[in-house]
C-alpha cells in the first residue's frame, strides 16, 4: 500500500468496495511514518522499554485511605501479630465458625476496636474498619456486619432511646450477639410480603411472634445457627379490633426477640433453630433458620421509631400509611447496601493487586537467546488487567462518594438526600458487585495455573463474593429499581 494514501482517498472511483475496506483496515493496523502526523492510533513502546514511572506510594495510599488509614493499619498489624487468629487454608466449617467468633471477640476486647460506635456517628470509619477486616477473612467481615450493622443497626435506626439504653453496651462488647431475621424461605426481595406475624395481646401487654407456615421460616439468618442470643425479627404487626374483621394488619415492623438463654445458650421455649449447613462460601458465618411457635415478648420489644402500640392496643405513627412507614423503615436500613458496594471494591483491589504483581514477576517467551519477557508486557495481559485496575480506582472514589452522601443522610434526614442515597446505593451495589464477580475470574485466569492454588486466594475470594450479587438486594431487582 502507498504510505501516502489517506482515508479520504478511498472516494476515488477506480477503487472497489473491497479495496476500500482493506485500505481502511490497513490504516488502523499499520502506523504511518513519523513524518506524517495522523489522528490514527500509533504503536506504543512496550512498558518494559519505556522510562520507569515513579509513584509516591505512601502519598497515594494516604490520599486514597484518608483519615482512616491509621485504624486500618492497626487492625492489620494486630492480626499479623496473632498467628492463632489467622484463617488456615482448608479450615472446616465448624472450625471456621468458632475461629470467626474468636477473631471478632479479639478485635473488640483485645485490640479495643469498637465498630458499633461508628455505625451511626461516623459511617466512613465503620466502613473503613470493615474493609480492613474483610482483607483478613471475608467471613469475619460479614459476621462483623451482621452483629453491628444489621442487628445493632436495626436497634439504633428503628428503635428509640429506651432500646439504645438497654442494648447498646451488650451489642458493643459482644455480650449480646444477635441476628437480623428478615428473609424468609418464600420471601426475600419482597419484604412487604413477609408472612411471620406479631399479634398484640392487650391482656398480657405482649406480642405473640408466630411462624404460620413453612414458607415463613426465617432463612439464611447470620449468627442464628450457633452464636446469636437475640434476633431483630421482621413481622406483620396484627392488632385486635372490634369490627367484623376482628384484626387489623398494620404492615411489617421489627421486633427484638430473645432466641437463646444469655448464660447457658440453650434455645428458648417456642424457638426452633436449624443449621443452614455448608455454603458455597462464607462458611465462617453460622447461617441458620428460625421458626417461632407462639413466642411471647414484651410490648417494649417493638422497635417503635416509626410506629408504636399503646397498652390498650391503639396504634400511633407520624407516618400516615403502611407504604410510607415501610419506605421509612427500609430507608434506615440502606447502610447494609452501601457497605456491600464498598466491600466489593475491596475484593477488586485485592484480586487486581495479586494479579498485577504476579504478572510483573512471571516471565514467559521472548526473543531467541534473550531473557524471557514479563507477561505484563504483553498486550493481551494488559487488556485483561489494566481496565480492572482503572476501575478499582474509579469504584473506590465512587463508593467513597456514596459513603459521604450516606453519612450526610444520617445527620440531616433530608428526603431528597434519602432518595439519592437509595438510588445510588442500589445502582452502585448492583454494578460494582457484578463487575467484581466477573473480574475475580479474569484475575484467576491471568495468573495461569498458579492462580488455582488455594493459598493464592482467588478461589475463596470468588466463592465468598458470589453472594454479594444476591443479598442486600438481588442485582436484577436493584437495577430495575434504579431504572
Amino acid at each position: 500500500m502507498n504510505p501516502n494514501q489517506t482515508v479520504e482517498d478511498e472516494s476515488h472511483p477506480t477503487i472497489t468496495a473491497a479495496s476500500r475496506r482493506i485500505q481502511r483496515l490497513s490504516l488502523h493496523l499499520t502506523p504511518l511514518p513519523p513524518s506524517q502526523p495522523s489522528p490514527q492510533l500509533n504503536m506504543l513502546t512496550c512498558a518494559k522499554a519505556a522510562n520507569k514511572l515513579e509513584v509516591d506510594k505512601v502519598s497515594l495510599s494516604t490520599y486514597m485511605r484518608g483519615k482512616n488509614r491509621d485504624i486500618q493499619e492497626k487492625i492489620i498489624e494486630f492480626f499479623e501479630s496473632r498467628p492463632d487468629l489467622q484463617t488456615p487454608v482448608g479450615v472446616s466449617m465448624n472450625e471456621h465458625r468458632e475461629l470467626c467468633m474468636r477473631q471478632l471477640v479479639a478485635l473488640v476486647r483485645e485490640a479495643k476496636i469498637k465498630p458499633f460506635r461508628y455505625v451511626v456517628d461516623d459511617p466512613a470509619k465503620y466502613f473503613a474498619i470493615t474493609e480492613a477486616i474483610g482483607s483478613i477473612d471475608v467471613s469475619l467481615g460479614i459476621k462483623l456486619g451482621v452483629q453491628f450493622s444489621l442487628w445493632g443497626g436495626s436497634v439504633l435506626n428503628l428503635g428509640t432511646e429506651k432500646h439504645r439504653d438497654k442494648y447498646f453496651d451488650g451489642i458493643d462488647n459482644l455480650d449480646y450477639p444477635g441476628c437480623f431475621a428478615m428473609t424468609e424461605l418464600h420471601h426475600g426481595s419482597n419484604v412487604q410480603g413477609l408472612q411471620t406475624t406479631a399479634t398484640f395481646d392487650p391482656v398480657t401487654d405482649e406480642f405473640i411472634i408466630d411462624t404460620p407456615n413453612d414458607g415463613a421460616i426465617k432463612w439464611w439468618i447470620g449468627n442464628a445457627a450457633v452464636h446469636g442470643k437475640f434476633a431483630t425479627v421482621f413481622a406483620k404487626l396484627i392488632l385486635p379490633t372490634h369490627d367484623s374483621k376482628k384484626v387489623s394488619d398494620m404492615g411489617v415492623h421489627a421486633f427484638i426477640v430473645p432466641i437463646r438463654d444469655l448464660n447457658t445458650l440453650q434455645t428458648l421455649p417456642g424457638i426452633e433453630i436449624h443449621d443452614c449447613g455448608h455454603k458455597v462460601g462464607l462458611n465462617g458465618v453460622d447461617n441458620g433458620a428460625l421458626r417461632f411457635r407462639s413466642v411471647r415478648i414484651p410490648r417494649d420489644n417493638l422497635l417503635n421509631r416509626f410506629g408504636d402500640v399503646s397498652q390498650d392496643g391503639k396504634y400511633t405513627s407520624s407516618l400516615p400509611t403502611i407504604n410510607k412507614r415501610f419506605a421509612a423503615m427500609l430507608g434506615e436500613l440502606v447502610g447494609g447496601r452501601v457497605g456491600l458496594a464498598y466491600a466489593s471494591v475491596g475484593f477488586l483491589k485485592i484480586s487486581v493487586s495479586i494479579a498485577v504483581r504476579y504478572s510483573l514477576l512471571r516471565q514467559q517467551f521472548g526473543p531467541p537467546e534473550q531473557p524471557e519477557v514479563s507477561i505484563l508486557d504483553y498486550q493481551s495481559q494488559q487488556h485483561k488487567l489494566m481496565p480492572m485496575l482503572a476501575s478499582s480506582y474509579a469504584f473506590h472514589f465512587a463508593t467513597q462518594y456514596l459513603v459521604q452522601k450516606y453519612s450526610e443522610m444520617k445527620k440531616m434526614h433530608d428526603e431528597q438526600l434519602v432518595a439519592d442515597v437509595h438510588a445510588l446505593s442500589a445502582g452502585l451495589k448492583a454494578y460494582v458487585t457484578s463487575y467484581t464477580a466477573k473480574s475475580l475470574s479474569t484475575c484467576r485466569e491471568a495468573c495461569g495455573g498458579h492462580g488455582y492454588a488455594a493459598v493464592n486466594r482467588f478461589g475463596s475470594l470468588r466463592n465468598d463474593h458470589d453472594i454479594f450479587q444476591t443479598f442486600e438486594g438481588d442485582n436484577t431487582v436493584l437495577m430495575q429499581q434504579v431504572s
Side-chain angles (χ1 to χ4, degrees):
M1 174 185 170
N2 180 357
N4 296 320
Q5 180 74 45
T6 65
V7 174
E8 285 72 20
D9 292 332
E10 68 180 14
S11 60
H12 194 282
T14 63
I15 299 179
T16 66
S19 298
R20 285 199 298 272
R21 285 197 290 272
I22 291 171
Q23 288 178 12
R24 180 176 289 277
L25 285 170
S26 297
L27 285 169
H28 281 289
L29 298 174
T30 308
L32 297 176
S35 60
Q36 290 186 297
S38 167
Q40 306 296 335
L41 291 175
N42 293 321
M43 299 290 285
L44 292 175
T45 308
C46 82
K48 194 170 185 178
N51 291 329
K52 186 177 179 183
L53 177 64
E54 294 291 342
V55 177
D56 185 342
K57 291 180 287 187
V58 174
S59 296
L60 179 61
S61 176
T62 300
Y63 175 71
M64 291 192 66
R65 294 161 72 184
K67 63 181 182 179
N68 296 315
R69 179 184 179 186
D70 290 346
I71 197 165
Q72 287 188 322
E73 291 184 347
K74 180 180 178 180
I75 291 167
I76 292 169
E77 288 170 5
F78 173 74
F79 281 99
E80 285 180 345
S81 70
R82 293 286 301 275
D84 59 307
L85 295 177
Q86 293 169 15
T87 306
V89 173
V91 64
S92 71
M93 181 184 74
N94 290 334
E95 291 172 334
H96 198 181
R97 288 174 169 182
E98 292 307 317
L99 174 60
C100 265
M101 192 63 189
R102 290 203 311 274
Q103 289 170 329
L104 189 57
V105 169
L107 176 79
V108 170
R109 297 181 183 174
E110 296 178 40
K112 307 298 183 184
I113 303 290
K114 298 292 187 75
F116 193 43
R117 308 195 175 182
Y118 309 119
V119 167
V120 172
D121 297 333
D122 192 350
K125 179 172 281 192
Y126 174 77
F127 291 129
I129 291 171
T130 61
E131 181 181 30
I133 289 296
S135 70
I136 293 156
D137 186 332
V138 183
S139 286
L140 173 59
I142 296 300
K143 194 169 184 73
L144 180 148
V146 169
Q147 172 67 14
F148 299 120
S149 180
L150 296 182
W151 151 237
S154 64
V155 173
L156 296 183
N157 293 316
L158 303 181
T160 49
E161 198 65 34
K162 63 182 178 183
H163 301 110
R164 184 185 179 99
D165 291 344
K166 184 173 181 179
Y167 294 101
F168 186 94
D169 289 342
I171 296 171
D172 183 48
N173 62 25
L174 295 174
D175 284 340
Y176 293 170
C179 316
F180 184 83
M182 177 181 279
T183 299
E184 295 178 355
L185 187 57
H186 283 182
H187 288 88
S189 296
N190 182 16
V191 178
Q192 276 189 298
L194 295 179
Q195 295 177 296
T196 303
T197 58
T199 305
F200 183 62
D201 182 353
V203 176
T204 61
D205 200 26
E206 293 172 319
F207 288 104
I208 305 168
I209 310 297
D210 201 38
T211 302
N213 55 63
D214 289 351
I217 295 172
K218 297 295 182 181
W219 207 267
W220 293 125
I221 309 305
N223 267 356
V226 180
H227 298 124
K229 298 178 180 178
F230 295 88
T232 294
V233 176
F234 290 81
K236 293 189 293 186
L237 172 55
I238 307 297
L239 294 179
T241 61
H242 300 292
D243 57 20
S244 58
K245 292 182 180 179
K246 296 187 178 179
V247 294
S248 178
D249 181 352
M250 306 307 297
V252 175
H253 288 63
F255 303 82
I256 296 175
V257 182
I259 60 173
R260 285 187 174 92
D261 184 275
L262 291 179
N263 299 314
T264 67
L265 293 184
Q266 291 297 308
T267 304
L268 293 175
I271 308 285
E272 292 180 13
I273 302 178
H274 302 278
D275 196 326
C276 289
H278 203 277
K279 307 185 293 292
V280 171
L282 298 177
N283 281 298
V285 183
D286 52 316
N287 292 86
L290 298 172
R291 183 168 200 147
F292 307 97
R293 296 190 183 275
S294 299
V295 177
R296 290 179 172 269
I297 59 172
R299 179 169 54 88
D300 277 350
N301 283 28
L302 166 66
L303 294 172
N304 61 336
R305 178 176 172 187
F306 298 113
D308 204 357
V309 176
S310 64
Q311 189 170 357
D312 59 359
K314 290 183 179 177
Y315 184 83
T316 56
S317 174
S318 58
L319 301 170
T321 66
I322 287 178
N323 286 339
K324 285 186 178 295
R325 292 192 291 271
F326 180 74
M329 178 181 73
L330 289 194
E332 287 299 324
L333 301 176
V334 76
R337 195 172 289 169
V338 173
L340 281 192
Y342 193 92
S344 183
V345 181
F347 278 81
L348 188 61
K349 292 175 186 176
I350 292 168
S351 59
V352 170
S353 296
I354 294 169
V356 169
R357 287 171 180 167
Y358 172 85
S359 299
L360 282 166
L361 294 172
R362 174 71 163 174
Q363 295 181 330
Q364 197 155 265
F365 305 114
E369 309 300 326
Q370 293 188 35
E372 290 188 295
V373 177
S374 167
I375 63 172
L376 194 58
D377 283 338
Y378 289 100
Q379 284 187 338
S380 59
Q381 194 77 347
Q382 293 174 8
H383 288 165
K384 285 180 182 178
L385 298 179
M386 293 302 103
M388 292 188 293
L389 178 62
S391 295
S392 67
Y393 279 92
F395 293 162
H396 170 87
F397 291 113
T399 52
Q400 271 201 338
Y401 175 78
L402 173 60
V403 170
Q404 175 192 331
K405 288 297 177 185
Y406 173 73
S407 301
E408 292 174 10
M409 183 199 85
K410 298 301 291 181
K411 292 175 182 175
M412 298 169 58
H413 302 289
D414 177 75
E415 283 191 17
Q416 185 57 53
L417 202 51
V418 171
D420 288 347
V421 170
H422 181 78
L424 273 173
S425 62
L428 275 174
K429 185 269 184 187
Y431 185 78
V432 171
T433 57
S434 294
Y435 184 94
T436 298
K438 295 181 179 71
S439 298
L440 286 165
S441 286
T442 303
C443 286
R444 203 290 302 157
E445 294 165 20
C447 293
H450 293 302
Y452 204 60
V455 71
N456 292 324
R457 298 189 66 185
F458 288 121
S460 61
L461 287 169
R462 284 194 302 186
N463 289 349
D464 288 344
H465 181 272
D466 198 52
I467 193 62
F468 278 54
Q469 299 174 91
T470 301
F471 61 10
E472 290 292 338
D474 174 85
N475 282 1
T476 302
V477 176
L478 292 185
M479 284 298 195
Q480 290 171 335
Q481 283 187 0
V482 175
S483 66

